[in-house]
Amino acid sequence: MEEAEWIQKMQQGDDTAFFIIYEKYKTAALRTAYLITGNRYTGEDILQETFIQCCLHIQELKDPTTFKAWFYKILTRTAWKVAKKEKNAVPVENIFEKIQESMEEDSEKTFLEKEERQKLMTAINRLELKQRITVILYYYNEMSVAEIAKATGSLEGTVKSRLFFARKKLYQQLKTDALFKGRVQNGSFR
């Protein structure tokens, strides 16, 4: 069954459809919320609030094929509100790295990759909130510029601009770092 059909069933009150959609989106949504806020528990709260709002307002969704953008619009707005409240919160370690830690060997390559991910996340967390959200949706959730525009309520040109300036800031932050130096100089970072 196509996603749009599950959304229609969800609009008709089908609990099974809700759980199928929940299972499909929960991991990516939690990752997005976590990357925006830097806090796993806050991310879980955002995830829960997003699905509550989704259920309460699912009847307002006119075109079931646009569910993904509509869902991420709810998620990003909820995350913006929370992030503004917790602006001074210190980001915690990446929960996905902790999961990988238990499965990885303690090799030099693994250590360097982990350090690289941490430095990249630190640089992303320094971005202005709207740029950070755009980068997270584009690179971590693999959403298109058009989908991000719908999810954030922005124009496509604004999304492109945010991506451009975010990349530029990330480049400036990481160009002197030894781990990124080779990739930044040969242009593969962009």
Side-chain angles (χ1 to χ4, degrees):
M1 191 177 289
E2 295 285 323
E3 181 178 280
E5 294 172 296
W6 287 115
I7 300 304
Q8 288 172 335
K9 286 184 172 278
M10 203 169 124
Q11 289 176 319
Q12 297 165 359
D14 187 330
D15 289 339
T16 303
F18 170 80
F19 288 112
I20 288 170
I21 295 301
Y22 175 81
E23 287 299 319
K24 179 176 181 179
Y25 282 90
K26 73 176 182 181
T27 304
L30 177 59
R31 180 181 60 231
T32 302
Y34 168 77
L35 291 170
I36 291 169
T37 63
N39 184 301
R40 176 188 174 149
Y41 301 108
T42 303
E44 290 172 351
D45 290 344
I46 291 168
L47 176 68
Q48 182 177 4
E49 180 62 25
T50 299
F51 275 104
I52 289 170
Q53 291 303 314
C54 183
C55 283
L56 292 175
H57 300 282
I58 192 69
Q59 299 302 326
E60 297 169 19
L61 180 63
K62 305 265 188 265
D63 181 2
T65 62
T66 62
F67 176 80
K68 183 178 181 181
W70 180 78
F71 175 81
Y72 277 101
K73 185 175 191 173
I74 295 169
L75 184 127
T76 55
R77 287 187 176 175
T78 303
W80 280 344
K81 289 177 192 172
V82 172
K84 285 179 184 177
K85 287 180 187 174
E86 298 181 357
K87 197 173 192 175
N88 296 324
V90 177
V92 295
E93 299 163 29
N94 190 323
I95 56 174
F96 301 103
E97 289 178 6
K98 286 189 173 220
I99 293 168
Q100 288 178 348
E101 271 180 20
S102 63
M103 300 180 340
E104 294 175 344
E105 295 177 18
D106 200 14
S107 68
E108 182 179 348
K109 181 181 177 190
T110 302
F111 174 77
L112 291 174
E113 287 173 357
K114 189 185 314 179
E115 189 173 341
E116 187 177 86
R117 282 192 307 264
Q118 287 175 326
K119 287 183 180 190
L120 182 58
M121 276 313 303
T122 299
I124 290 171
N125 283 328
R126 288 185 189 140
L127 294 172
E128 177 249 298
L129 182 62
K130 290 182 181 183
Q131 288 177 348
R132 182 173 54 212
I133 289 170
T134 303
V135 165
I136 290 165
L137 293 176
Y138 188 79
Y139 289 105
Y140 290 87
N141 287 41
E142 299 176 352
M143 292 175 72
S144 70
V145 169
E147 289 174 321
I148 295 169
K150 287 180 185 176
T152 60
S154 305
L155 298 172
E156 287 185 35
T158 303
V159 172
K160 290 177 184 177
S161 175
R162 286 180 186 154
L163 279 172
F164 173 80
F165 287 109
R167 287 181 190 125
K168 193 172 184 173
K169 286 179 184 176
L170 290 171
Y171 171 80
Q172 290 301 318
Q173 289 182 50
L174 299 172
K175 73 179 180 181
T176 58
D177 191 296
L179 286 173
F180 292 95
K181 204 168 204 167
R183 291 197 305 155
V184 169
Q185 286 176 345
N186 71 22
S188 63
F189 176 71
R190 294 176 167 243

